[in-house]
Amino acid sequence: LEPLLFGDRLCVCPSWVAAPAGRRVLTLDPGLAFGTGSHPSTALCLDWLAARDLRACSVIDYGCGSGILGLCAALLDAGAVWLVDIDPQALAASRVNAQRNQLQQRVRFLQPGALPVRPVDLLIANILLNPLLQLAPHLARLVRPGAALALSGLLAVQAEDCLAAYDPWFSMGDMTFRNEWALVQGTRRGTASAD
């Protein structure tokens, strides 16, 4: 494995490899939970995060796996970050990765039912199409009006279905593709009900 670069300021690097200078570096070794940055859907999400100004943003990494997306958001100066997963093993891996990167004081680890009531500034989810379709109303409630959403874990041929599922609540923007994978993004509208 080699350092993986995202945008002009972010790097994900295994612990046994020297990280390049001049970037925010997340040290992350392959483990039991999904997410090292090498999968195209994760890379799409990391490129998306690296291109945004996250200073003081509240962020949910929904389906966090290894915690890579939420931990990178914290590295990029996000304010409050919630790492959320239904799998206790994923949350345990996220805690280890947060400690390794000295980010444990800047993130919280939660199962979905324990999320904060107040909507956040940014939600990112790198899971699969069927859960994303089922979760659309729930995820919409977690994002404040005017805030951003990014969804991946989708094959390119599934992107339109995902856009349609989130259209009642979000103004969906451009899609981004890497190999056969896609990332869709949107901005929460303030007029639609999430119920």
Side-chain angles (χ1 to χ4, degrees), residues 95-111:
R95 280 189 184 92
V96 169
N97 290 327
Q99 290 167 354
R100 174 175 286 155
N101 289 277
Q102 301 177 354
L103 294 169
Q104 66 271 24
Q105 301 302 319
R106 302 190 46 210
V107 297
R108 290 187 179 174
F109 310 92
L110 302 169
Q111 292 196 327

Side-chain angles (χ1 to χ4, degrees), residues 4 13 40 49 51 53 58-59 79 96 108 139 188-189:
L4 301 172
C13 190
L49 285 171
D53 181 359
S58 55
V59 176
V96 169
R108 290 187 179 174
L139 296 186
R188 181 71 160 91
R189 289 195 293 268

Side-chain angles (χ1 to χ4, degrees), residues 51-137:
R52 303 185 75 80
D53 181 359
L54 300 181
R55 284 174 294 180
C57 283
S58 55
V59 176
I60 293 175
D61 175 1
Y62 202 97
C64 64
S66 69
I68 186 171
L69 302 179
L71 296 175
C72 282
L75 271 180
L76 295 170
D77 300 321
V81 179
W82 289 273
L83 303 178
V84 180
D85 210 295
I86 60 172
D87 183 356
Q89 188 169 318
L91 293 174
S94 294
R95 280 189 184 92
V96 169
N97 290 327
Q99 290 167 354
R100 174 175 286 155
N101 289 277
Q102 301 177 354
L103 294 169
Q104 66 271 24
Q105 301 302 319
R106 302 190 46 210
V107 297
R108 290 187 179 174
F109 310 92
L110 302 169
Q111 292 196 327
L115 274 165
V117 175
R118 188 169 41 172
V120 296
D121 301 315
L122 185 151
L123 186 144
I124 191 160
N126 182 26
I127 49 182
L128 300 172
L129 176 66
N130 285 338
L132 287 173
L133 297 180
Q134 294 168 4
L135 288 166

